[in-house]
Amino acid sequence: MAGNTLKTYQKMRDFKSTPEPRGSPAKAGRVPIFVIQQHDASRLHYDLRLEVEGVLKSWAVPKGPSADPKIKRLAIPTEDHPIDYANFEGVIPEEQYGAGAVMVWDAGTYANTKAEIHGHQMSMKTGIERGEITFRLNGKKVKGGYVLIRIKKVPEEIWLLIKRKDEEARTGRTPSSREKARSVLSGLTLDEIREAAK
Ligand code: MN
């Protein structure tokens, strides 16, 4: 199943040219992980990826997550990525899809918290199909409850990422500036990752 949903990802890339992982299957039954990568492609954005049934379900979040429940962040679904993409940091070459530097801006585990507000558990997969998931992130930078909700289905899906009101909510808090941001994996900035790849 994981192989199937990675077809788009694999078709879009030439693994002889890009340092990105081709993707290997994930172990079942573990605590699911999440990663937020800073990606300096044609436009700097954040990629939020949540482990769901063996792959990383992915959304491009142009402005990144906010800790302020009043701030709604646009989130555009992208193709499923392999689990090992969570450790990918480096530079995607010029002629490849998504060319530019990638940094692991935050990473950790998450919990599906649908039951907290709806009273019954629903799988992440079903939630994504229905257009609403709620989850608690346990990262180094990003913590607490979030909701991802689909507000438009055609011609292209548009979702919103919104902080839930909880003890981790902060008024006006947004991600650190591009210059100051460092990887939780290597401690490097995007510029340093670019230098290291030369
Ligand atoms: Mn991206």
Side-chain angles (χ1 to χ4, degrees), residues 115-170:
E116 280 180 22
I117 49 173
H118 290 275
H120 61 274
Q121 194 58 259
M122 184 189 287
S123 74
M124 290 292 283
K125 188 169 181 270
T126 302
I128 290 168
E129 282 161 11
R130 294 192 184 181
E132 187 180 341
I133 51 176
T134 67
F135 47 92
R136 180 177 298 275
L137 297 178
N138 180 27
K140 291 200 170 97
K141 295 173 181 168
V142 183
K143 292 176 195 292
Y146 279 83
V147 57
L148 254 175
I149 185 159
R150 186 171 58 214
I151 55 162
K152 203 164 176 242
K153 215 169 174 180
V154 285
E156 275 180 296
E157 286 196 21
I158 295 176
W159 294 59
L160 294 176
L161 175 68
I162 310 162
K163 180 80 192 71
R164 290 183 66 198
K165 288 177 187 151
D166 59 19
E167 66 284 357
E168 308 288 355
R170 301 284 183 275

Side-chain angles (χ1 to χ4, degrees), residues 47-63:
D47 289 298
L48 167 64
R49 310 188 197 280
L50 301 169
E51 176 181 353
V52 177
E53 302 194 12
V55 295
L56 294 174
K57 300 305 267 186
S58 299
W59 289 261
V61 184
K63 290 185 173 172

